[in-house]
């Protein structure tokens, strides 16, 4: 920013509505005096495109977590996924992901998780509105390809060197990489995995990676968010299905 926009040198910058490490897409950047109004942007609606990988779970609900696998073959049909998606339309109460920045007793929830002290707190929840949720694509991929794509995603973010974040050990990526390499090499696991792609319009506070795991659970299996992209930010009118976009 400072290199490409010298006109912003010395001007305060902030953002509203952070993205998870494994998410991409729209992010509101506030400039100058607008930084003082950051809270005004926190309640905006958002549209996402995200994918659910069925049959593998992680403690972060996405590919950047420690994995739990099963040798069971998972048989899921597209119409089943579509029916489950329809059932989520409306008001929904989500637990915050254990690896999130939600503050509990003055400390981010992910710190409580990493310190192994979750038994000392109550996991907070957030009620959001899901306006639209639809399946946009449905596919299967070989296990080795799934693992290779996941490793690309895991390696796509810069290394964390801030000593204040030492407990996270660079998102535990040494162990996470080893988990995905084990998936690629473990021939006792299913040869192929199903991935369903979704478009979701939701109010503020809806975590797509949490939604991914709940969708999988409703289908009788495990799952994680394989891909998340935020495509719109603004105010959504569910009656007219139109947006007043901020960005």
């Amino acid at each position: 920013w400072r290199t490409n926009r010298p006109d912003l040198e010395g001007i305060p910058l902030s953002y509203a509505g952070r993205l998870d490490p494994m998410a991409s897409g729209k992010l509101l950047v506030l400039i100058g005096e607008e930084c003082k109004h950051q809270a005004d942007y926190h309640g905006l609606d958002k549209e996402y495109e995200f994918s659910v990988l069925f049959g593998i779970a992680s403690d972060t609900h996405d590919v950047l977590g420690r994995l739990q696998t099963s040798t069971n073959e998972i048989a899921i049909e597209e119409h089943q996924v579509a029916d489950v998606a329809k059932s989520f339309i409306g008001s929904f109460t989500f637990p915050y992901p254990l690896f999130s920045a939600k503050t509990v007793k003055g400390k981010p929830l992910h710190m409580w998780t990493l310190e192994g002290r979750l038994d000392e707190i109550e996991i907070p929840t957030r009620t959001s509105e899901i306006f639209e949720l639809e399946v946009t694509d449905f596919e299967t991929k070989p296990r080795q390809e799934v693992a290779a794509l996941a490793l690309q995603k895991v390696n796509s973010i810069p290394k964390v060197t801030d000593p204040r974040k030492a407990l996270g050990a660079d998102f535990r990526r040494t162990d996470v990489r080893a988990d995905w390499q084990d998936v690629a090499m473990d021939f006792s696991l299913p040869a192929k995995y199903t991935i369903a792609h979704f478009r979701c319009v939701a109010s503020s506070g809806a975590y797509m990676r949490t939604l991914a795991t709940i969708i999988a659970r409703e289908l009788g299996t495990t799952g994680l968010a394989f891909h998340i992209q935020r495509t719109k930010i603004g105010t959504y009118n569910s009656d007219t299905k139109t947006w007043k976009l901020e960005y």
Side-chain angles (χ1 to χ4, degrees):
W1 271 80
R2 301 303 186 188
T3 301
N4 298 330
R5 293 291 303 274
D7 56 311
L8 295 177
E9 187 67 37
I11 296 177
L13 296 175
S14 185
Y15 63 87
R18 71 179 68 202
L19 285 164
D20 289 336
M22 288 289 96
S24 60
K26 305 289 187 180
L27 178 71
L28 286 179
V29 177
L30 308 180
I31 302 173
E33 288 296 309
E34 204 61 30
C35 294
K36 298 178 181 179
H37 307 291
Q38 186 184 54
D40 295 341
Y41 296 95
H42 288 169
L44 293 174
D45 305 320
K46 302 177 179 74
E47 180 186 79
Y48 293 92
E49 295 174 355
F50 73 101
S51 304
V52 180
L53 169 67
F54 296 106
I56 300 178
S58 85
D59 58 3
T60 60
H61 304 330
D62 61 15
V63 300
L64 193 57
R66 299 302 310 276
L67 303 183
Q68 298 97 47
T69 59
S70 171
T71 57
N72 294 334
E73 295 281 348
I74 306 299
I76 296 175
E77 300 294 335
E78 184 173 0
H79 69 88
Q80 295 174 302
V81 181
D83 288 344
V84 166
K86 291 177 184 177
S87 71
F88 282 96
I89 304 298
S91 182
F92 193 85
T93 300
F94 295 83
Y96 278 88
L98 298 183
F99 286 86
S100 69
K102 174 65 176 175
T103 300
V104 181
K105 295 184 179 180
K107 184 188 299 186
L109 186 52
H110 65 82
M111 293 299 293
W112 290 101
T113 305
L114 289 168
E115 291 173 356
R117 299 174 57 194
L118 289 174
D119 59 335
E120 300 177 28
I121 62 172
E122 182 177 346
I123 306 302
T125 61
R126 173 69 179 262
T127 299
S128 299
E129 190 80 13
I130 296 181
F131 302 112
E132 297 184 24
L133 180 62
E134 62 175 350
V135 179
T136 58
D137 200 3
F138 193 80
E139 62 179 333
T140 59
K141 289 185 180 294
R143 184 184 69 254
Q144 290 90 345
E145 183 180 350
V146 167
L149 289 170
L151 282 168
Q152 286 180 16
K153 298 172 188 290
V154 169
N155 292 328
S156 67
I157 55 178
K159 182 177 177 63
V160 177
T161 57
D162 188 338
R164 295 172 299 177
K165 300 180 180 179
L167 185 61
D170 189 32
F171 295 110
R172 307 173 297 165
R173 275 192 283 187
T174 297
D175 293 330
V176 171
R177 291 184 184 105
D179 285 351
W180 282 111
Q181 289 162 356
D182 288 344
V183 168
M185 299 303 296
D186 189 346
F187 290 91
S188 70
L189 296 176
K192 293 184 177 181
Y193 284 92
T194 298
I195 299 175
H197 303 270
F198 298 84
R199 184 185 70 88
C200 179
V201 179
S203 64
S204 178
Y207 279 83
M208 294 302 103
R209 52 192 168 110
T210 300
L211 181 57
T213 63
I214 297 174
I215 289 172
R217 186 178 67 200
E218 289 296 308
L219 288 161
T221 184
T222 57
L224 55 79
F226 199 64
H227 164 81
I228 302 173
Q229 183 168 22
R230 186 189 290 163
T231 50
K232 292 178 182 176
I233 304 173
T235 303
Y236 183 71
N237 187 317
S238 58
D239 293 327
T240 62
K241 298 185 182 300
T242 56
W243 284 88
K244 177 185 176 183
L245 293 177
E246 295 288 343
Y247 181 65

